[in-house]
Amino acid sequence: MENISIPTIIHLPKFLDQRGNLSFIEEYKHIPFKIKRTYWIYDVPGGESRGGHAYRNTDEFIVALSGAFEVILDDGEKKESFLLNRSYYGLYVPKGYWREMVNFSTNSVGLILAPTLYEPDDYIRDYDEFLKLKKKP
Ligand code: TYD
């Protein structure tokens, strides 16, 4: 899979079965990176928001494994909202986007795959700093 530089909804394989459906993700094949870390967000009170920050060097792939939430991505000039509400597709978020996850439905679960280990210095948590970095030529 070639590199993707803009936020993209990626549809995953899905095997529909009366015993229950199945989907999967393979690194480099369905997402454009090698998976080094995975984390999930759960027990979020309905309507809650998370993740007002950007990463300097980390891309992510976000799937709503259960329930629904919206991911709002901001490139410093415009905002775009993506509704995630099925477990057979996800959102690829390239580095350098301010991202918020909002409107979690009760009992939703968000799975996030990343190509890096957790690194606090990779976070930009100040929106004004983010805008300044984006304005650099
Ligand atoms: P944080 O990224 O601040 O959550 P949000 O997406 O809502 O901004 O993460 C919350 C806490 O979890 C923070 O103290 C750091 C810790 N954490 C890890 O230790 N490893 C990880 O991979 C992640 C994503 C978070």
Side-chain angles (χ1 to χ4, degrees), residues 66-81:
S66 183
F69 50 85
E70 284 168 65
V71 182
I72 300 170
L73 298 181
D74 178 347
D75 65 2
E77 286 179 0
K78 58 179 178 5
K79 286 186 187 185
E80 201 174 352
S81 174

Side-chain angles (χ1 to χ4, degrees), residues 6-127:
I6 56 168
T8 306
I9 292 285
I10 296 176
H11 287 262
L12 301 168
K14 91 182 153 176
F15 286 86
L16 302 182
D17 192 312
Q18 286 178 346
R19 298 170 302 154
N21 302 334
L22 183 150
S23 288
F24 57 91
I25 301 168
E26 290 181 2
E27 57 193 19
Y28 293 134
K29 191 165 174 189
H30 307 110
I31 53 173
F33 57 78
K34 182 168 178 61
I35 301 160
K36 250 192 168 171
R37 178 167 54 109
T38 181
Y39 63 96
W40 46 99
I41 294 170
Y42 56 99
D43 289 349
V44 183
E48 194 54 77
S49 303
R50 291 195 64 111
H53 60 243
Y55 302 109
R56 298 170 206 276
N57 284 312
T58 299
D59 325 350
E60 291 185 320
F61 186 67
I62 306 175
V63 183
L65 278 189
S66 183
F69 50 85
E70 284 168 65
V71 182
I72 300 170
L73 298 181
D74 178 347
D75 65 2
E77 286 179 0
K78 58 179 178 5
K79 286 186 187 185
E80 201 174 352
S81 174
F82 298 85
L83 175 66
L84 300 184
N85 61 0
R86 293 284 185 271
S87 55
Y88 52 75
Y89 73 90
L91 176 65
Y92 173 69
V93 183
K95 66 186 173 190
Y97 280 79
W98 188 266
R99 74 118 161 107
E100 280 173 80
M101 299 167 76
V102 303
N103 287 335
F104 281 84
S105 68
T106 304
N107 289 330
S108 53
V109 179
L111 175 76
I112 296 118
L113 307 178
T116 58
L117 299 180
Y118 178 66
E119 175 51 74
D121 290 346
D122 194 39
Y123 281 65
I124 305 164
R125 292 193 179 274
D126 183 85
Y127 188 69

